[in-house]
Amino acid sequence: DVKVTQSSRYLVKRTGEKVFLECVQDMDHENMFWYRQDPGLGLRLIYFSYDVKMKEKGDIPEGYSVSREKKERFSLILESASTNQTSMYLCASSLSLTDLAGGVTYEQYFGPGTRLTVT
Amino acid sequence: RKEVEQDPGPFNVPEGATVAFNCTYSNSASQSFFWYRQDCRKEPKLLMSVYSSGNEDGRFTAQLNRASQYISLLIRDSKLSDSATYLCVVTPFNTGFQKLVFGTGTRLLVSP
């Protein structure tokens, strides 16, 4: 059973603080993702990583950075938290599966989320 | 135009009813399609993949219409436990790294 864990369920930080959100998966997945989810906007991809030390920007990377030093761990960093970064942050991992036709299908497994409030 | 669009609902149905949701996508080259389910204050979980030929899993049926660029989810004999938000998810063709694009979700409320 795939398990993705996140370091905190709830976090309250002050504007300007540096914030670390940690994510760990136990299924040896190559791919890991960070999303934020906001009402009316759905899930939006911040960053993803397809291998150790590799990272790619998603749709909304501004104000965030990431780190992947080990395969099982993917960290999201808010260098200087701002109030507009108040959100639910969801981590996910996936192992790409190739279907018989040679295409690629994906299933992402999500962690429980971290609700971050920046005051 | 959003890449993936869904009616936010809520859809209010009684137990035992049949309900259907549609989702439209804008990229005609989109490759993979899914429905995820998200319970209140929980993480999304894969409900089912959507194949070109359509597929069924118990009370759930998913269909893909590439010509009209929409996917659908049909739930028969609704249960109280089906109450959740259903997220339509699409993979654009040439992203290379399994990027998923999520719709904002359709909320379903099943009442006794």
Side-chain angles (χ1 to χ4, degrees), chain A:
Chain A
D1 199 22
V2 177
K3 193 168 184 183
V4 180
T5 57
Q6 295 183 226
S7 49
S8 306
R9 290 302 304 271
Y10 300 93
L11 210 51
V12 180
K13 295 291 182 181
R14 293 186 182 272
T15 301
E17 280 193 85
K18 191 169 186 175
V19 182
F20 292 88
L21 302 181
E22 297 274 306
C23 174
V24 178
Q25 51 94 3
D26 66 358
M27 284 303 292
D28 202 35
H29 284 173
E30 289 90 0
N31 305 315
M32 296 189 75
F33 308 82
W34 274 106
Y35 295 89
R36 61 178 284 177
Q37 185 173 29
D38 302 286
L41 297 176
L43 276 88
R44 292 179 293 167
L45 182 63
I46 304 171
Y47 267 97
F48 62 101
S49 169
Y50 53 91
D51 202 351
V52 176
K53 297 192 185 294
M54 305 304 287
K55 60 185 179 184
E56 291 284 339
K57 292 181 179 179
D59 298 317
I60 51 164
E62 296 79 19
Y64 304 95
S65 61
V66 291
S67 172
R68 192 160 180 208
E69 297 297 317
K70 294 185 177 181
K71 191 175 186 180
E72 67 271 18
R73 190 178 298 269
F74 192 35
S75 302
L76 180 69
I77 303 148
L78 287 66
E79 295 289 340
S80 177
S82 63
T83 54
N84 63 12
Q85 292 178 309
T86 291
S87 185
M88 170 67 82
Y89 289 87
L90 289 156
C91 174
S93 71
S94 76
L95 173 64
S96 58
L97 302 172
T98 302
D99 65 24
L100 294 176
V104 185
T105 55
Y106 327 92
E107 176 176 358
Q108 291 191 8
Y109 297 87
F110 285 83
T114 295
R115 183 163 293 281
L116 172 67
T117 302
V118 182
T119 61

Side-chain angles (χ1 to χ4, degrees), chain B residues 77-103:
Chain B
D77 188 23
S78 299
K79 312 290 185 192
L80 294 176
S81 57
D82 294 335
S83 296
T85 297
Y86 292 84
L87 305 175
C88 172
V89 185
V90 172
T91 300
F93 175 64
N94 56 351
T95 58
F97 296 114
Q98 296 99 50
K99 176 184 172 182
L100 301 183
V101 179
F102 287 79

Side-chain angles (χ1 to χ4, degrees), chain B residues 28-81:
Chain B
S28 60
S30 293
Q31 187 174 37
S32 302
F33 308 88
F34 308 89
W35 285 102
Y36 276 67
R37 170 193 169 129
Q38 186 171 24
D39 293 315
C40 187
R41 301 184 189 281
K42 298 281 192 179
E43 71 274 20
K45 291 184 179 179
L46 179 67
L47 177 66
M48 58 197 302
S49 302
V50 186
Y51 302 121
S52 298
S53 55
N55 49 301
E56 192 173 305
D57 183 2
R59 298 182 292 107
F60 298 82
T61 300
Q63 299 262 332
L64 168 63
N65 185 317
R66 283 193 182 271
S68 300
Q69 293 181 213
Y70 75 85
I71 68 173
S72 64
L73 178 67
L74 180 80
I75 305 175
R76 289 181 298 278
D77 188 23
S78 299
K79 312 290 185 192
L80 294 176
S81 57

